[in-house]
């Protein structure tokens, strides 16, 4: 018997044993293909942890549905096909999520825009003043402010993203907020300015 035929027979037997609920056969399949599948899925999702999660999900489904396991060819080909489908489903889901978030952000901007321009002239003046105040910030201060208020990044995340210390981030934010409060003081009490800027900066970003 050729090596290829022996391998095919061995896979067929492995599949049959798994269908019968043989945990040892299932463990053999897991040990044989787990690492290969993780490497394969990584090519799609580019995340080691996510690759592991997807492959573990593949094996979990194989075991849970073992009695109705339908494998027309080799177990290897079946596992790789299931893993590929799951990776592609994840990618499609992520695209949908990103599109939804982008649309939600745009809608929020439009709603804010409408709410300000449907109000009286004072509200519009305030909007223009906020935009001018943010634009007048030094480049690094403006960037840090928007990363924090628009993107929701923490000071630690901003420091890692810009490769600067957390202390530097704190200093720039403190200076930016002080300058903005001073420039917008005539429109609202100082204590309210910081909270207002977190919303209105979305509109003017």
């Amino acid at each position: 018997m050729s090596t290829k035929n022996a391998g095919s027979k061995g896979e067929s037997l492995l599949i049959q044993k798994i269908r019968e609920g043989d945990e040892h056969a299932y463990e053999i399949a897991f040990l044989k293909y787990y690492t290969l599948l993780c490497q394969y899925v990584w090519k799609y999702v580019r995340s080691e942890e996510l690759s592991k999660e997807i492959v573990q999900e593949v094996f979990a489904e194989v075991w849970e549905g073992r009695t109705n396991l339908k494998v027309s060819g080799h177990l290897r080909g079946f596992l790789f096909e299931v893993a590929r489908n799951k990776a592609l489903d994840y990618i499609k889901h992520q695209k949908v999520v990103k599109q939804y978030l982008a649309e939600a952000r745009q809608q929020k901007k439009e709603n804010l825009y409408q709410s300000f321009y449907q109000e009286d002239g004072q509200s519009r003046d305030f909007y223009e003043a906020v935009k001018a105040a943010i634009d007048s910030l030094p480049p690094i201060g403006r960037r840090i402010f928007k990363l924090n208020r628009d993107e929701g990044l923490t000071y630690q995340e901003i420091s890692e993203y810009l490769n600067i210390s957390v202390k530097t981030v704190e200093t720039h934010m403190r200076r930016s907020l002080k300058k903005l409060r001073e420039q917008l003081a005539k429109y609202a009490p100082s204590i309210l300015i910081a909270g207002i800027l977190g919303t209105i900066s979305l509109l003017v970003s």
Side-chain angles (χ1 to χ4, degrees):
M1 182 183 294
S2 67
T3 302
K4 182 176 180 180
N5 289 336
S8 298
K9 185 175 181 180
E11 287 247 320
S12 297
L13 181 60
L14 195 61
I15 293 168
Q16 183 58 40
K17 289 291 185 182
I18 292 174
R19 286 195 185 110
E20 294 171 357
D22 188 322
E23 294 184 7
H24 181 61
Y26 174 75
E27 184 178 352
I28 290 174
F30 184 88
L31 294 174
K32 185 176 182 180
Y33 294 117
Y34 177 77
T35 300
L36 291 174
L37 285 168
C38 286
Q39 293 171 347
Y40 177 69
V41 172
W42 183 88
K43 295 177 182 180
Y44 288 93
V45 301
R46 301 292 176 175
S47 166
E48 184 176 348
E49 288 303 314
L50 183 57
S51 298
K52 291 178 180 179
E53 289 180 15
I54 290 175
V55 173
Q56 288 167 6
E57 186 178 339
V58 169
F59 278 104
E61 288 187 4
V62 166
W63 183 251
E64 290 170 2
R66 59 188 178 277
T67 56
N68 297 313
L69 190 60
K70 296 179 181 179
V71 183
S72 57
H74 293 309
L75 179 61
R76 175 192 173 101
F78 171 79
L79 292 173
F80 272 74
E81 182 179 1
V82 174
R84 177 178 177 275
N85 289 338
K86 284 190 173 297
L88 291 176
D89 285 344
Y90 170 80
I91 292 172
K92 290 177 183 177
H93 175 70
Q94 287 300 103
K95 288 182 178 178
V96 170
V97 170
K98 287 180 180 179
Q99 181 64 28
Y100 171 80
L101 292 176
E103 291 176 356
R105 181 180 174 84
Q106 183 59 35
Q107 185 61 49
K108 187 173 183 179
K109 282 188 175 183
E110 290 175 359
N111 290 342
L112 281 170
Y113 182 89
Q114 291 173 4
S115 67
F116 271 85
Y117 277 89
Q118 286 173 357
E119 294 295 333
D120 56 27
Q122 186 175 3
S123 294
R124 185 164 63 179
D125 289 344
F126 178 66
Y127 161 78
E128 296 293 351
V130 170
K131 185 177 186 305
I134 293 176
D135 288 343
S136 71
L137 294 173
I140 183 64
R142 182 168 63 251
R143 190 176 187 191
I144 289 173
F145 176 81
K146 289 189 174 184
L147 285 172
N148 177 253
R149 296 307 172 95
D150 295 355
E151 306 301 329
L153 272 62
T154 64
Y155 288 1
Q156 180 64 44
E157 290 170 335
I158 295 173
S159 74
E160 294 173 0
Y161 180 69
L162 298 180
N163 196 28
I164 57 178
S165 70
V166 174
K167 187 68 176 178
T168 300
V169 175
E170 292 175 348
T171 299
H172 280 292
M173 277 297 292
R174 184 172 63 253
R175 290 174 180 173
S176 294
L177 288 172
K178 181 176 184 293
K179 184 175 181 180
L180 292 172
R181 280 195 297 268
E182 290 173 351
Q183 293 191 33
L184 301 172
K186 69 177 182 179
Y187 293 97
S190 178
I191 195 170
L192 298 179
I193 295 298
I196 293 172
L197 289 171
T199 299
I200 192 61
S201 62
L202 282 172
L203 180 58
V204 300
S205 60

